[in-house]
Amino acid sequence: IMAQRKVDANTITCCAAISACEKGKQWEAALRLFSVMLQRRLESNTIAFSDVISACGKAGEWARALQLLSAMAQSSVETEVIAFSAAMTACEKGGEWEKALQLFRTMAQNSVESD
């Protein structure tokens, strides 16, 4: 859509679009936009990762949310509480409470401050 309207895709516009997809429960569109960010070598940040993790979680895609959290940890983006929280919520919605508990333990081990 951004290309059709001749809007330059940058980190800010992509993050805004991913956030809108997350709020609109359009997880696949959020993933596509996130992929565009990566393909164009735009700076991915905590907001982009957290919103796409949340979008997947709202759709019951807990395994995909965990994959994204893992990718975030392997990238140069600092894994913050908001991303862990989104992933734990995804696990909870998928009935994977053990995985959510493990994420909480990982947060503590990595000294990520919880809310």
Side-chain angles (χ1 to χ4, degrees):
I1 291 176
M2 287 191 284
Q4 293 171 346
R5 305 224 184 233
K6 297 183 181 174
V7 174
D8 280 338
N10 61 34
T11 300
I12 295 169
T13 58
C14 284
C15 285
I18 290 169
S19 180
C21 291
E22 181 263 335
K23 287 173 180 48
K25 299 181 182 174
Q26 300 296 315
W27 70 276
E28 291 172 316
L31 276 175
R32 282 192 301 273
L33 285 165
F34 189 71
S35 291
V36 167
M37 283 184 74
L38 298 178
Q39 289 170 358
R40 294 188 178 184
R41 300 184 193 275
L42 298 175
E43 178 186 352
S44 55
N45 57 25
T46 301
I47 295 166
F49 270 104
S50 298
D51 283 348
V52 77
I53 289 168
S54 181
C56 290
K58 286 180 179 179
E61 295 287 328
W62 62 268
R64 196 172 308 258
L66 292 180
Q67 289 172 346
L68 287 161
L69 185 67
S70 178
M72 184 179 187
Q74 294 173 8
S75 74
S76 61
V77 177
E78 185 176 348
T79 311
E80 296 181 10
V81 68
I82 190 167
F84 274 102
S85 180
M88 284 188 278
T89 299
C91 291
E92 179 267 327
K93 288 184 182 282
E96 297 290 331
W97 65 268
E98 296 98 343
K99 293 192 184 313
L101 188 57
Q102 180 58 44
L103 287 174
F104 188 78
R105 289 185 189 121
T106 300
M107 278 179 50
Q109 291 169 352
N110 294 338
S111 300
V112 176
E113 291 188 30
S114 60
D115 290 339

